[in-house]
Amino acid sequence: MQSSASRSPATRTGRPRSAAADTAILAATREALVELGWSKLTLGDVASRAGVAKTTLYRRWAGKNELVVDAVAELFDELELPDRGSLAADIEGVVLQLAALLSRPEARCGLMAAVAESTLDEALRERIRTSIVQRQKRLVHTGRARAQTRGELPPDPDPAEAARTVDLIFDMVAGAVVHRTLVSGRPADEEWVHDLTHVLLTGLTTPDPVP
């Protein structure tokens, strides 16, 4: 997993960046989001919480939008695809991780605040796509490659079609989990995750296997 310092797109000038300062700043941003919300969060407050100068933040991030997205993205980078021996089990494992992550106040508040703000800010929406969505598609790529190695899925003959499939799988899984946990406010427990995985892998018209 990359460090937060190596992931940030800010231009680097002058002295080398401090990974410890970056970690403290991103953690302080998440803390402030939970306590204050998007509208009341300021870079000055984040700097005070992190114990750094306000100018330190501006050397790393151009403004609040970039800072908040990077703070949220760092949480999503914690997700890993477990190797549980089968494609279905792997999917269930990572979906349970995602559901658990979204139950944390800092992830829930940060993601919902950024998405809400992005409805009127295309640059922010693009940053969410590149820093969170595109980065987490690595989980789908890893899962498909692993399943192909096991012989559970055929190889991809067409890279363009494979990319479209990855996009679709990610949208289906992430969309379902976000809607379940953040919109409907219902638990994504093991039973629900098992049912979601079954529908994803077999489709709606395939009958449930006989116990």
Side-chain angles (χ1 to χ4, degrees):
M1 186 184 302
Q2 291 179 309
S3 68
S4 58
S6 63
R7 289 194 304 267
S8 175
T11 301
R12 304 182 184 188
T13 59
R15 293 177 299 175
R17 289 175 56 160
S18 164
D22 283 1
T23 298
I25 291 167
L26 296 177
T29 301
R30 294 188 291 268
E31 178 185 274
L33 277 170
V34 173
E35 293 183 15
L36 304 174
W38 179 285
S39 62
K40 294 183 180 179
L41 183 148
T42 66
L43 267 62
D45 180 68
V46 170
S48 178
R49 290 169 185 260
V52 301
K54 189 175 178 179
T55 53
T56 301
L57 270 71
Y58 281 111
R59 283 199 297 267
R60 290 159 164 75
W61 292 276
K64 182 163 71 173
N65 288 3
E66 293 84 353
L67 177 60
V68 169
V69 173
D70 281 5
V72 175
E74 185 176 60
L75 294 178
F76 282 89
D77 283 339
E78 296 175 8
L79 295 172
E80 295 292 344
L81 184 70
D83 188 347
R84 302 172 72 179
S86 71
L87 177 58
D90 289 357
I91 292 172
E92 290 181 11
V94 76
V95 171
L96 286 169
Q97 280 186 50
L98 175 58
L101 175 62
L102 292 175
S103 72
R104 293 162 56 180
E106 64 270 29
R108 182 172 64 248
C109 293
L111 180 62
M112 294 191 76
V115 170
E117 193 70 18
S118 74
T119 59
L120 299 175
D121 188 334
E122 179 56 36
L124 176 57
R125 189 177 304 146
E126 178 60 24
R127 192 174 183 92
I128 292 171
R129 279 194 292 261
T130 58
S131 297
I132 299 177
V133 176
Q134 292 299 330
R135 227 153 59 197
Q136 297 317 312
K137 286 180 182 178
R138 64 188 171 83
L139 301 168
V140 181
H141 285 289
T142 299
R144 281 172 55 79
R146 187 182 293 163
Q148 289 166 343
T149 299
R150 293 186 187 125
E152 296 173 287
L153 292 176
D156 296 315
D158 180 1
E161 181 62 30
R164 286 192 292 270
T165 299
V166 167
D167 287 347
L168 180 60
I169 293 170
F170 183 88
D171 289 346
M172 291 172 65
V173 174
V177 179
V178 169
H179 186 277
R180 176 78 175 183
T181 58
L182 301 187
V183 179
S184 297
R186 302 182 66 188
D189 54 22
E190 291 190 8
E191 181 180 9
W192 182 85
V193 171
H194 176 77
D195 291 344
L196 172 67
T197 302
H198 177 74
V199 170
L200 179 66
L201 293 181
T202 64
L204 291 172
T205 59
T206 303
D208 291 329
V210 178

